[in-house]
């Protein structure tokens, strides 16, 4: 009996993998991408490929490799993960991207052998995109915490929608102030006519050790004897290992119920977002103990709950949140369903924004589908049902929408629209086959890791690689090799290979098996 639960479509490249036209690729500034967060278990290699060497407990020397196959939005990019032996079906289920921030991506891989997963069946890797031109991508394995570190013997420490990444920050010297690093933003646009203001994001640092760590964090609920809900911050720090911190609220306002399904970072503050209710803001730069949480309610839903039940099945179906120009921006989508067959679909997108220090959102504006013009004469917005709004964090006025001609279960055909809300136009469209999901489930995420992954020959790659020599840098530290099977690992030192070629099997060190 097979314990695998992956989709057969994950064993071949997506059908739109070569759909982007040459003019789209040339005009793309690599500022952001929409990426399928579920892996394709196939072997593909390019300049983004990162390798992770390990030895199985049976003594077989093996490699894990991760490759990003990136397309200009609104095309859906994808990532591939495989063993270099080519045995893609050795995964129990498809690996997933849980979060991205800056040049980092957190990837969850289930390599267990049991029908009921244990915490050690999940391995978490941090993909490091290169900051400088002479560097190559790397994979780093997150060590497991001590047993029972998480409450309720939580089997998966980090989950999608509940995990955030704080970028490189300062741990050296007596100054503990954390200083997240952000990359330079190219000024080219989604289309040649679409411009974006550019602000220099750099703070100059002279000591290359100042920005030397990153942190991954998640919130877990805890109930005291009186039934009050508390939120504990569990985090992995690349310098300090695993920690658990108690939190308290800075004001009397606190959520009645909260289930995070988005995490964003703004100005050193990690924002856990329940798209149905509100946000918990945790300033990771402050040193106070316990850490302070601040709760801010989201604007009330514009979609009547009794008007279209499908919209309440998932908050991401009609709502999204992002950081745009250092402000938190929120969008809510109201879908006007036709009263009878043959009438067009209509929708209204409403946006709000706030700075991290504000106490509430301010309405920015709204756009109606009936006011939107399309550059594609064949596109009939009234014939398409839209959902899953995704706010661009790179182009302030762009909203991505998934659209389908019908909601029939098993219909894989869909379209991704790039809507310019200010100009009220559909800038571009792209086909997307939802072959691994049922109907209109959430299937992709927006990422800006592309700023670090432009091809070496692309002139725009030089834009993102400018910056102080202190940011990043190639370390001559030895890279670890591991024994890995069913989540069990053994670390051993091995010389780091700075080329983008898979290390030779004969170069692996002898690893001790773990029982």
């Amino acid at each position: 009996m097979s314990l695998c639960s992956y989709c057969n479509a994950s064993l071949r490249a997506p059908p739109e993998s070569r759909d982007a036209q040459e003019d789209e690729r040339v005009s793309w500034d690599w500022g952001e991408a929409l990426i399928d967060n579920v892996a394709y278990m196939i072997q593909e290699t390019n300049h983004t490929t990162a390798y992770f060497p390990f030895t199985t407990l049976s003594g077989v020397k093996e490699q894990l490799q991760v490759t990003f196959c990136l397309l200009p939005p609104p095309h859906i990019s994808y990532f591939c993960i495989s063993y270099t032996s080519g045995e893609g079906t050795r995964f129990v289920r498809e690996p997933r991207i849980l979060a991205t921030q800056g040049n980092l991506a957190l990837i969850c891989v289930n390599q267990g052998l049991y029908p009921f997963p244990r915490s050690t069946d999940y391995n978490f890797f941090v993909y490091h995109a290169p900051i400088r031109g002479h560097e190559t991508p790397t994979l780093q394995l997150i060590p497991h915490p001590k047993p029972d570190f998480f409450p309720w013997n939580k089997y998966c420490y980090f989950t999608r929608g509940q995990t955030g990444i704080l970028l490189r920050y300062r741990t050296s010297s007596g100054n503990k102030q954390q200083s997240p690093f952000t990359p330079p933003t190219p000024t080219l646009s989604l289309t040649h006519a679409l411009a974006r203001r550019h602000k220099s994001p750099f703070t100059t640092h002279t000591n290359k050790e100042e920005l030397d760590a990153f942190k991954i964090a998640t919130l877990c609920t805890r109930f005291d004897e009186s039934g009050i809900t508390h939120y504990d911050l569990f985090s992995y720090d690349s310098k300090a290992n695993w920690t658990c911190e108690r939190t308290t609220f800075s004001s009397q306002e606190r959520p009645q119920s909260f289930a995070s399904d988005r995490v964003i970072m703004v100005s050193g503050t990690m924002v856990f977002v329940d798209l149905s209710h509100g946000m918990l803001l945790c300033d990771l730069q402050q040193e106070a103990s316990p850490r302070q949480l601040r709760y801010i309610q989201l604007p009330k839903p514009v979609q009547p709950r009794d008007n279209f039940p499908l919209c309440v099945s998932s908050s991401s179906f009609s709502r999204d949140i992002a950081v745009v120009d250092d402000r938190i921006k929120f969008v809510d989508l109201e879908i006007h369903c036709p009263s009878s067959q043959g009438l067009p679909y209509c929708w209204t997108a409403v946006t709000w924004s706030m700075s991290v220090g504000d106490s509430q959102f301010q309405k920015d504006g709204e756009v109606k589908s009936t006011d939107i013009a399309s550059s594609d004469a064949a596109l009939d917005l009234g014939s398409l049902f839209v959902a899953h709004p995704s706010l661009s964090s790179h182009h302030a006025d762009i909203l991505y929408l998934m659209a389908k001609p019908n909601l029939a279960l098993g219909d894989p055909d869909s379209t991704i629209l790039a809507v310019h809300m200010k100009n009220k136009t559909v800038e571009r469209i792209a086909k997307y086959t939802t072959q691994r999901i049922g109907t209109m489930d959430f299937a992709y995420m927006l990422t800006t890791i592309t700023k670090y992954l432009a091809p070496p020959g692309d002139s725009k790659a030089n834009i993102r690689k400018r910056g102080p020599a202190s940011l990043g840098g190639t370390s001559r530290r030895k890279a670890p090799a591991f024994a890995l099977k069913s989540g069990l690992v053994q670390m051993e030192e091995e010389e780091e290979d700075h080329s983008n070629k898979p290390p030779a099997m004969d170069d692996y060190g002898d690893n001790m098996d773990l029982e």
Side-chain angles (χ1 to χ4, degrees), residues 411-460:
D411 178 15
D413 294 330
S414 62
T415 302
I416 307 299
L417 312 175
V419 176
H420 196 299
M421 298 185 67
K422 186 176 181 180
N423 296 343
K424 298 182 179 180
T425 57
V426 176
E427 294 291 324
R428 286 189 175 176
I429 64 174
K431 183 181 178 182
Y432 176 47
T433 303
T434 54
Q435 57 182 353
R436 299 189 293 177
I437 60 177
T439 173
M440 286 195 75
D441 292 336
F442 188 76
Y444 54 84
M445 61 189 298
L446 190 140
T447 179
T448 57
I449 197 174
T450 49
K451 295 177 181 179
Y452 300 89
L453 294 176
D458 194 308
S459 61
K460 294 183 282 296

Side-chain angles (χ1 to χ4, degrees), residues 370-412:
T370 52
D371 298 330
I372 294 177
S374 174
S375 58
D376 189 339
L379 181 66
D380 179 12
L381 289 180
S383 66
L384 296 174
F385 182 90
V386 301
H388 298 303
S390 296
L391 285 164
S392 169
S393 58
H394 184 58
H395 305 285
D397 298 308
I398 293 296
L399 177 68
Y400 301 105
L401 294 167
M402 182 191 290
K404 275 182 174 289
N406 64 76
L407 298 178
L409 187 66
D411 178 15

Side-chain angles (χ1 to χ4, degrees), residues 182-377:
T182 52
T185 304
T187 56
L188 297 177
S189 56
L190 181 65
T191 62
H192 290 297
L194 182 59
R196 182 184 188 273
R197 297 189 310 276
H198 174 64
K199 297 185 295 183
S200 174
F202 284 115
T203 300
T204 302
H205 298 281
T206 57
N207 184 352
K208 69 178 182 179
E209 297 300 326
E210 285 185 329
L211 303 176
D212 59 355
F214 65 88
K215 180 179 287 187
I216 304 171
T218 186
L219 281 179
C220 291
T221 55
R222 174 174 50 86
F223 304 96
D224 62 19
E225 295 179 354
S226 61
I228 297 177
T229 304
H230 300 274
Y231 300 91
D232 295 334
L233 184 72
F234 289 81
S235 61
Y236 170 78
D237 190 302
S238 60
K239 292 292 184 180
N241 214 333
W242 290 91
T243 58
C244 174
E245 300 176 80
R246 297 290 175 90
T247 66
T248 185
F249 284 88
S250 58
S251 65
Q252 293 298 319
E253 187 173 12
R254 55 188 299 150
Q256 294 182 346
S257 64
F258 189 88
S260 178
D261 42 28
R262 286 282 193 284
V263 181
I264 56 177
M265 283 292 308
V266 54
S267 302
T269 296
M270 189 169 288
V271 184
F272 298 88
V273 185
D274 181 337
L275 289 172
S276 298
H277 300 100
M279 310 183 301
L280 291 177
L281 288 78
C282 182
D283 187 355
L284 294 179
Q285 296 184 104
Q286 55 98 8
E287 292 294 323
S289 180
R291 286 198 178 272
Q292 300 288 309
L293 294 180
R294 188 158 58 97
Y295 179 66
I296 296 178
Q297 292 186 4
L298 291 176
K300 293 182 179 180
V302 297
Q303 180 70 42
R305 288 184 175 270
D306 57 352
N307 184 29
F308 197 72
L310 185 59
C311 288
V312 300
S313 62
S314 171
S315 297
S316 67
F317 206 94
S318 58
R319 315 186 107 191
D320 187 41
I321 197 165
V323 177
V324 183
D325 290 335
D326 296 324
R327 288 179 63 83
I328 301 174
K329 189 171 183 178
F330 174 74
V331 64
D332 202 352
L333 189 67
E334 181 180 7
I335 303 169
H336 314 285
C337 296
S339 56
S340 61
Q341 189 173 5
L343 293 179
Y345 287 108
C346 299
W347 51 266
T348 301
V350 186
T351 58
W352 292 263
S353 67
M354 59 172 283
S355 69
V356 70
D358 293 340
S359 59
Q360 62 182 3
F361 283 88
Q362 300 293 326
K363 186 175 179 179
D364 288 339
E366 65 180 48
V367 62
K368 298 180 181 294
S369 59
T370 52
D371 298 330
I372 294 177
S374 174
S375 58
D376 189 339

Side-chain angles (χ1 to χ4, degrees), residues 93-153:
R93 57 181 56 87
E94 294 94 341
R96 296 171 182 267
I97 296 177
L98 303 183
T100 68
Q101 185 71 27
N103 71 316
L104 305 180
L106 178 64
I107 299 173
C108 176
V109 180
N110 185 338
Q111 293 164 304
L113 300 176
Y114 302 95
F116 302 104
R118 304 170 302 179
S119 59
T120 52
D121 290 339
Y122 290 86
N123 286 304
F124 298 92
F125 294 87
V126 175
Y127 176 96
H128 295 252
I131 292 178
R132 287 203 186 100
H134 65 272
E135 296 176 335
T136 57
T138 60
L139 282 176
Q140 175 183 350
L141 178 67
I142 302 298
H144 290 291
K146 295 180 180 179
D148 302 326
F149 176 77
F150 277 88
W152 330 299
N153 292 319

